[in-house]
Amino acid sequence: MTQADDLARLAAVIDSRQPANGGDPEKSYVARLLHKGNDAILKKVGEEATEMVMAAKDLEHGGDPQKLVNETADLWFHCLIALAHHGLGPAEVVAELVRREGLSGLEEKALRKVREREAKE
């Protein structure tokens, strides 16, 4: 099994918790969060992102590396929930990362801005 397989399996579990798929908010944290909707999901993503940043900062002052791993796992998990809420999954994110592979980050960002401008015209 690959890491992509692991992410796909986790995404499938999250998708199974969707209210439309019978997810019960009384029995599942994921179902409850999906039931609450986008604002609740995004609030949680923001909280987890902040906790991850704090754990990374703490490492420069003798913090525990495992805490950064744990907080990153929490962030990724909640990002997967946000993706699922919008009908997306890790496959789309991985495909985008693969598409960017070999591109300079500066070039990729400039190309994205050009595409956004063209789309507005």
Side-chain angles (χ1 to χ4, degrees):
M1 299 248 342
T2 67
Q3 292 169 344
D5 293 331
D6 294 337
L7 282 172
R9 190 177 68 253
L10 181 54
V13 171
I14 290 169
D15 196 48
S16 76
R17 304 298 197 269
Q18 292 272 13
N21 295 333
D24 184 351
E26 297 297 319
K27 295 180 180 176
S28 164
Y29 167 78
V30 172
R32 185 177 323 132
L33 197 52
L34 287 165
H35 178 75
K36 288 181 179 179
N38 200 47
D39 286 347
I41 295 166
L42 296 178
K43 180 180 178 187
K44 195 63 184 167
V45 168
E47 290 172 9
E48 298 300 343
T50 300
E51 291 172 7
M52 187 280 250
V53 167
M54 291 169 51
K57 292 291 280 179
D58 287 348
L59 278 179
E60 294 184 1
H61 305 285
D64 180 6
Q66 186 61 45
K67 185 161 172 72
L68 177 58
V69 170
N70 294 346
E71 295 301 344
T72 301
D74 290 346
L75 175 59
W76 287 13
F77 180 73
H78 287 87
C79 287
L80 289 172
I81 294 171
L83 287 167
H85 177 73
H86 293 285
L88 300 166
E92 289 86 356
V93 177
V94 170
E96 178 60 15
L97 290 170
V98 168
R99 184 193 69 76
R100 294 179 186 184
E101 186 177 4
L103 290 177
S104 155
L106 297 174
E107 290 173 358
E108 195 281 328
K109 186 175 181 180
L111 182 59
R112 211 173 339 140
K113 286 184 178 184
V114 168
R115 287 184 182 150
E116 289 170 4
R117 247 185 313 219
E118 289 174 350
K120 289 179 183 178
E121 295 174 349

